[in-house]
Amino acid sequence: MKKESKKKHKYFNQLFFTYSAAFLLFLTLVFGIALGFIYREQYSRNVEIRGQLVSQIQSQLDSSLEGMDRIINGLLFSRSFMEIMADSGNTSSSPLYYNEVLNYFLTLDAPDLSTYRIIAFNDDTYYTLTKSDENPSFIENAVASYPWKEEILAAHGEKIILPVHADSFSSQGAFVYSVTRAITDGRKNYGIIEVQNEYGNIEQICSLENISGEVLLFSPDGGLIYPAEKSGEYEIYQTVSEKGSSEGSFIQNGTQISYATSDYSGWTVVLSCPVLSLVPFGVEAILLTIFVFFVLIVIVLILFR
């Protein structure tokens, strides 16, 4: 009789364990599936948010460049300025014309005076408004050896965005990015205008707050503009350029990449982030669910062995 009672007790324990384990497995699977669905939705949402962030960064960069180019166009559409530059051999020695050009610079850069330097020059003279030092002999030498002269004049008045470089008109050599155009009436060139902004503006625009990942900024030839101290990211740019679209996202080597290429500048903004870091604690939550399931199974085994 005792044997039969023990047998029944053992049978009920095994039955209870079987149903308990099955029920726990079912709950864990339901919870795991729900968690997986939430993870996938959050992942997609985060990719979308990153795409919006990349577009926002690109828009701010374009806005900075367009503002610089707006100053140049304002000067080129000024008849008085064009006449001064066309007759620079005679006007260069007059302080009156120098002050007039500086007033144009100030008016077009107002109210923020956000540019680092505005300079208009040719072989006869230069006019500049700058936040840096102004050494006339240094600037004259810089004008004489200006490295982008031929490229800019050959563009016949089209904008040229110069690569990040040290300000060639100052001995301080602050790092800047520039927009330039030839001063031309369509028949003859009268000089060059360059508008500079400090590289720190790019750093500020591209910095991330409260979001994981890294921003990369590439020039049209694949050169890395930001961050300045980094190199060896050409593979990412090459993959982006092969996509054939101005914006999008993809996964490469375990990294989620969102990108946008500007029609205005040709610059490409890339936001990269390891896939496992894209949803904070997402993978950890799934692993925790699996761990909890096994812990519960062990507890059941101990209680009903």
Side-chain angles (χ1 to χ4, degrees):
M1 199 75 169
K2 286 184 180 180
K3 266 189 179 182
E4 193 174 333
S5 178
K6 283 185 179 180
K7 197 171 181 182
K8 282 183 180 181
H9 181 71
K10 186 176 180 182
Y11 171 76
F12 282 119
N13 279 349
Q14 289 175 342
L15 189 63
F16 180 81
F17 168 74
T18 301
Y19 280 110
S20 297
F23 182 69
L24 288 173
L25 178 60
F26 173 74
L27 287 180
T28 306
L29 286 174
V30 169
F31 185 71
I33 291 170
L35 196 61
F37 176 78
I38 294 171
Y39 175 83
R40 187 179 64 179
E41 289 298 310
Q42 188 61 47
Y43 187 96
S44 299
R45 176 60 181 157
N46 285 359
V47 169
E48 182 182 345
I49 290 172
R50 287 167 180 275
Q52 294 170 355
L53 178 59
V54 164
S55 296
Q56 181 183 343
I57 292 172
Q58 189 63 267
S59 177
Q60 291 180 44
L61 292 169
D62 281 352
S63 179
S64 175
L65 294 170
E66 287 168 356
M68 297 157 72
D69 197 28
R70 194 176 299 115
I71 293 173
I72 296 176
N73 284 311
L75 292 168
L76 295 178
F77 280 100
S78 167
R79 176 180 291 183
S80 178
F81 172 78
M82 292 296 292
E83 289 174 349
I84 291 172
M85 294 304 297
D87 194 25
S88 59
N90 296 318
T91 59
S92 60
S93 59
S94 171
L96 178 65
Y97 291 114
Y98 193 89
N99 290 334
E100 185 177 347
V101 172
L102 287 189
N103 282 333
Y104 290 146
F105 290 173
L106 285 167
T107 300
L108 291 167
D109 199 20
D112 299 329
L113 301 179
S114 58
T115 61
Y116 182 73
R117 178 189 296 277
I118 304 173
I119 184 166
F121 62 90
N122 57 25
D123 294 337
D124 297 320
T125 190
Y126 73 85
Y127 303 95
T128 188
L129 175 68
T130 180
K131 293 177 180 176
S132 178
D133 63 314
E134 188 173 344
N135 184 326
S137 61
F138 190 95
I139 295 176
E140 288 168 2
N141 291 332
V143 166
S145 59
Y146 191 66
W148 299 285
K149 180 178 179 180
E150 298 303 321
E151 178 186 358
I152 295 168
L153 295 180
H156 304 295
E158 294 296 318
K159 76 174 183 300
I160 299 291
I161 298 174
L162 300 182
V164 174
H165 60 284
D167 176 17
S168 54
F169 302 104
S170 169
S171 57
Q172 295 180 2
F175 276 97
V176 296
Y177 58 106
S178 305
V179 178
T180 67
R181 286 183 188 263
I183 304 170
T184 180
D185 58 10
R187 299 185 300 274
K188 187 176 180 181
N189 292 322
Y190 302 112
I192 291 171
I193 306 174
E194 179 180 341
V195 177
Q196 302 175 348
N197 260 330
E198 291 183 271
Y199 179 74
N201 290 354
I202 292 179
E203 292 179 317
Q204 185 175 359
I205 292 171
C206 293
S207 62
L208 294 176
E209 291 184 7
N210 303 321
I211 187 169
S212 57
E214 179 184 34
V215 172
L216 304 172
L217 178 61
F218 295 95
S219 63
D221 62 358
L224 190 63
I225 299 173
Y226 175 87
E229 69 279 0
K230 193 165 185 173
S231 60
E233 300 293 341
Y234 184 74
E235 182 184 352
I236 293 178
Y237 175 79
Q238 192 172 27
T239 304
V240 168
S241 61
E242 289 171 355
K243 293 294 179 181
S245 59
S246 61
E247 58 183 22
S249 62
F250 60 93
I251 295 175
Q252 178 176 289
N253 299 330
T255 301
Q256 178 68 48
I257 295 172
S258 300
Y259 68 91
T261 300
S262 168
D263 294 331
Y264 181 80
S265 66
W267 289 2
T268 298
V269 177
V270 170
L271 176 55
S272 65
C273 177
V275 169
L276 295 179
S277 302
L278 196 63
V279 179
F281 310 111
V283 175
E284 290 88 341
I286 293 173
L287 293 176
L288 179 62
T289 302
I290 296 172
F291 174 75
V292 168
F293 168 72
F294 282 110
V295 169
L296 291 174
I297 291 294
V298 170
I299 292 173
V300 171
L301 284 172
I302 292 172
L303 292 176
F304 298 99
R305 58 185 175 178

